[in-house]
Each structure stands twice: as C-alpha cells, then as structure tokens.
Amino acid sequence: MKKAIWALVLAALALWSAPAWAGGASEAAGSEPLPVGAAFPDVSLGADLSPEHRAYLGIAKKSGPVRLADVSAPVVILEIFSMYCPHCQREAPVLNDLYGLLASGGHADRVKMLGIGAGNSAMEVELFRAKFDIRFPLAADQNFTVHDACGKVGTPYFYVLARKPGETAYTVVGSRLGRMDSPESFAADVLADAP
Amino acid sequence: MNQAQPWMTRLASRRRAPLYRILLTALPLLVVVGFSPAVRAEEAPAFTDSLFQASEPLKAVDSVLAVKVGDPMPDFDLPTIDGGRVRRTDFVGKKKLVLSFVPAAWTPVCSGQWPGYNIARELFAAENAELVGVSVDNVPSLHAWVTQMGGLWFPVASDFWPHGALSGRLGILRPEGVAERALFIVDEKGVIRYIDVHDINARPDLGALITALRGVKD
C-alpha cells in the first residue's frame, strides 16, 4: 500500500515539474543533441577572447584564433545560448551564480565555463555580456557553425564535457536543455558526472 | 480544552498520523496545482509549440522597394498593441526613428528577433532613437504574441488595415500579403537614411543596425 502511494506521489510530482522544465528553453526544430559518451567536436572559439578570459581558460600564451582543444581544464560546462533567447536572458544571472559557486567551492581550476552565442555576431555577444555582466568567456557563432556541430540544439543548452589527462578531445558526460533548477543542484550534477 | 484549537496546534497534533494519510491528503492538491492553467502559464508558456513552422524556406525577398535612402518617410498613423497610435509626425524634429518590420506574428525567426532588442534599449536611447516594431497582423493577434513572448519595451504597431498600407507604400509587401523582414532608419528631419530589406528567413545582425544608426548624423 505504501509503495503504491509513493508511486502516485512521485508520478504527480513528475507531472507537476515537467512542464516547468520544458518551458525554460527555446526549442529548436531538428535538434539532435550529442549523446553522453560522444566525442565533442573541436569547435572554434574565435579570436576575440580577452586576455583575462584566455588566462581563465589556461590559454594565455596563445594568440589569435583558439579552439576548444586548446582549453587546459579537465571539465568544461559549455552553454549554447542566444542573445535573442528570453530564457537565456533570464538564466544569465543564474550562470554568474554558478560561476561563483564553482570558484568558492574550490573547483575553478578544474571546471571551466564557456558560452557559445548561436547565430550571434560579436557585437551581439558583447551586448549580452555587458548587459548581464557575464563573468565567464563567451564566443560568437554568427554563422551557426558551432551550433550545427553541436546538434542544432535549443537554447539554453548545457553540455558537460570532460577530458582525461593526455587526451585532446572532450567527451560529453552530461547535457540538458533548458534552465537549471538551481545553480547548486546543477553544480552538484556536474561534479557527479565529471570523472 | 474542547473548544476549537488554533490551526497550528491542530497541525502539530497530526504529527502522529501515519505518513500515508498525509500524502493521500496532499496528492490531489499536487495534481491540481500541477495542471493549474495559472501555474503553467507563468512557469511554462507553450510558446515554441505555438509557433507556425513553414514547410520550407521562403523566397528571400519578394517585393520591389518603392523608396530609397534620401527619400522622405511616408506619413503613417498606425494603432499599437497598447491601445495607442504611432505616427511619423511623433518623431519629426525630435528623434530618429527605427522601424523594424517583421513578416508575421507566431513565426520562429520573428519570435527570435524582437526579444533580442529587449536588452538593447540603451543602444537606441544613446543615439536619440525610438524603435517601433511593425507587422501586418491585426492588433489582438500582435498583442497575444508579444504578451506570450514576455513583453517588449518598444511600441508594436499594426499595419493590418487598410491591409499593409504602409508596407505597400514602402514597397516591402510580399505577394502573400506579409511584409518583408526590413529595417528603416529615419532621421530627425523625417528622411530615410538606411534600408535593410533582409532575407525573410534570417535574423538581421543587430550590430549592423546599431552601426548604421551611429552613422546617421545631421
């Protein structure tokens, strides 16, 4: 009897929470996210990253265009966003909170955050960064090149990528579409997913 | 002590009740709250599902411009979704005007264009410019669409009746009766200074528009 009641309660909670989760994203037609375990493409991060952001990603000595493989961290939280996406606009302060949590928890060297502005020009990405005082690096993807390589996902979309010592390519170890429940729970999930 | 107890005391007295009784009481409430339209409207607008998806890309541009840079902006007087009106004469001698025409409410590219302008208000203000969105949809449809996307800071005007009259005078009315995805900058004297009749299937770069706006000097 108790098991049946618990099952009913869990089912009700799932029905209750599912629409809220789905509502926190701009979904994309034809989206095919890369599955967990897939190798993540070595996408371009452009040439516009600031010296401060290059230092954060561990590529301070590299000038000009950089790629994902240049990043030195073993774990990367990569957000596909758009300046035009209202959900991404609402999520921006939460991501700054996540950045702060990772830093205060002593994970800043191991886990890096990175945003890719799908279909956004450099000016549009800069407007988004300035408007929300985004603290982690953002790269423009005006022609949707990275977005296409990442499975034409909706926004915001989060890939958690990990790389073992000696490897150059990142592997997908977690992903999700839509706004996170909280930066605390998301950070806990990332740290649990990443080896 | 038999008189009615305060509700907190009564609640505390139920701590000894079996857990399943409490859960059985809460279950209907959870289900009702979960499917409450009010909650779903705030937390989970089915906005993406509401958008019309064209089966294939449209012809990039399907009209012939009737004005050019240097021409005076034709007079217009259009209703807005907040119950007001927007007129060319509201801006002449006062402010620059940016008109953003989109083809249709409830379509994907259009729904992904104006929300971006929502975080760019200061950029328009810095150039002494007002932004006005225009579509040939009627006022109620535009109102519902803009409300569903979370609202906009700039006025949204309807060029519905006479159908597409302003769009037609500018030469951006397509054969199927919708406007092109087009941007016009009009200076303080009422003269058109910039025109971008964009590929209807793609969102114009805000950077190009702001750069053009900054280039409009007396």
Side-chain angles (χ1 to χ4, degrees):
Chain A
M1 180 63 181
K2 284 185 178 178
K3 286 183 179 177
I5 292 168
W6 273 113
L8 280 170
V9 170
L10 290 174
L13 285 171
L15 286 169
W16 178 65
S17 59
W21 185 85
S26 296
E27 296 176 40
S31 171
E32 293 183 14
L34 302 174
V36 169
F40 199 83
D42 182 23
V43 297
S44 170
L45 305 180
D48 297 330
L49 293 179
S50 69
E52 176 191 4
H53 286 151
R54 285 171 186 261
Y56 168 77
L57 295 173
I59 50 177
K61 293 179 181 176
K62 189 172 176 63
S63 60
V66 290
R67 308 189 69 82
L68 181 63
D70 296 325
V71 176
S72 62
V75 181
V76 173
I77 300 170
L78 189 146
E79 181 202 17
I80 307 293
F81 76 99
S82 170
M83 183 209 87
Y84 291 90
C85 163
H87 304 291
C88 302
Q89 295 169 7
R90 294 186 198 114
E91 190 73 336
V94 180
L95 288 172
N96 277 338
D97 292 344
L98 176 64
Y99 179 92
L101 273 177
L102 292 171
S104 64
H107 306 291
D109 290 339
R110 178 169 170 252
V111 183
K112 301 296 183 184
M113 294 176 63
L114 184 58
I116 302 287
N120 293 172
S121 66
M123 179 272 177
E124 290 169 336
V125 166
E126 174 56 23
L127 172 63
F128 189 84
R129 188 202 63 73
K131 183 74 179 182
F132 299 107
D133 194 23
I134 300 294
R135 300 166 68 185
F136 55 91
L138 303 176
D141 179 32
Q142 186 165 10
N143 298 318
F144 292 98
T145 306
V146 177
H147 182 254
D148 288 348
C150 295
K152 301 179 180 177
V153 293
T155 55
Y157 198 93
F158 298 95
Y159 279 112
V160 181
L161 311 176
R163 179 170 63 189
K164 293 176 183 173
E167 292 183 345
T168 55
Y170 283 97
T171 299
V172 178
V173 296
S175 68
R176 65 167 288 156
L177 170 67
R179 298 189 60 193
M180 58 187 71
D181 300 323
S182 73
E184 291 82 4
S185 64
F186 188 83
D189 289 345
V190 168
L191 296 172
D193 286 342
Chain B
M1 292 296 289
N2 286 334
Q3 54 187 301
Q5 295 171 292
W7 68 269
M8 287 184 68
T9 308
R10 277 185 275 134
L11 189 63
S13 72
R14 290 191 178 187
R15 284 179 184 162
R16 297 190 198 92
L19 178 62
Y20 74 87
R21 285 189 184 172
I22 297 172
L23 293 175
L24 273 178
T25 306
L27 183 58
L29 180 63
L30 281 172
V31 173
V32 168
V33 169
F35 288 98
S36 160
V39 171
R40 296 186 71 186
E42 182 182 349
E43 298 285 346
F47 188 60
T48 306
D49 293 339
S50 303
L51 301 183
F52 175 79
Q53 301 283 347
S55 56
E56 57 187 27
L58 303 172
K59 185 177 179 181
V61 174
D62 201 3
S63 60
V64 179
L65 264 175
V67 293
K68 61 183 184 301
V69 170
D71 286 350
M73 184 68 187
D75 272 332
F76 60 85
D77 181 354
L78 300 173
T80 57
I81 60 172
D82 62 359
R85 302 195 73 85
V86 62
R87 306 171 183 85
R88 184 190 75 100
T89 52
D90 295 339
F91 307 97
V92 175
K94 300 171 188 169
K95 289 192 172 186
K96 300 183 187 76
L97 170 64
V98 177
L99 288 174
S100 169
F101 287 83
V102 297
W106 304 105
T107 56
V109 178
C110 302
S111 300
Q113 182 175 341
W114 286 350
Y117 298 169
N118 250 1
I119 64 170
R121 185 173 191 167
E122 294 84 355
L123 298 182
F124 291 94
E127 303 306 318
N128 190 36
E130 288 287 340
L131 172 64
V132 175
V134 187
S135 155
V136 300
D137 297 279
N138 66 10
V139 167
S141 177
L142 276 174
H143 180 271
W145 178 50
V146 170
T147 300
Q148 188 74 354
M149 71 170 68
L152 299 167
W153 59 265
F154 53 89
V156 172
S158 167
D159 189 23
F160 176 70
W161 200 257
H163 188 79
L166 175 58
S167 305
R169 269 182 286 159
L170 294 170
I172 58 166
L173 191 64
R174 295 168 66 102
E176 66 265 36
V178 302
E180 301 283 3
R181 188 178 311 285
L183 295 162
F184 291 80
I185 298 176
V186 182
D187 67 17
E188 291 92 336
K189 296 175 182 173
V191 176
I192 298 171
R193 301 290 294 273
Y194 174 82
I195 303 173
D196 175 13
V197 181
H198 213 77
D199 179 345
I200 196 170
N201 304 294
R203 186 179 54 220
D205 174 19
L206 180 60
L209 174 63
I210 297 301
T211 300
L213 189 55
R214 289 171 178 162
V216 174
K217 307 295 180 189
D218 290 336

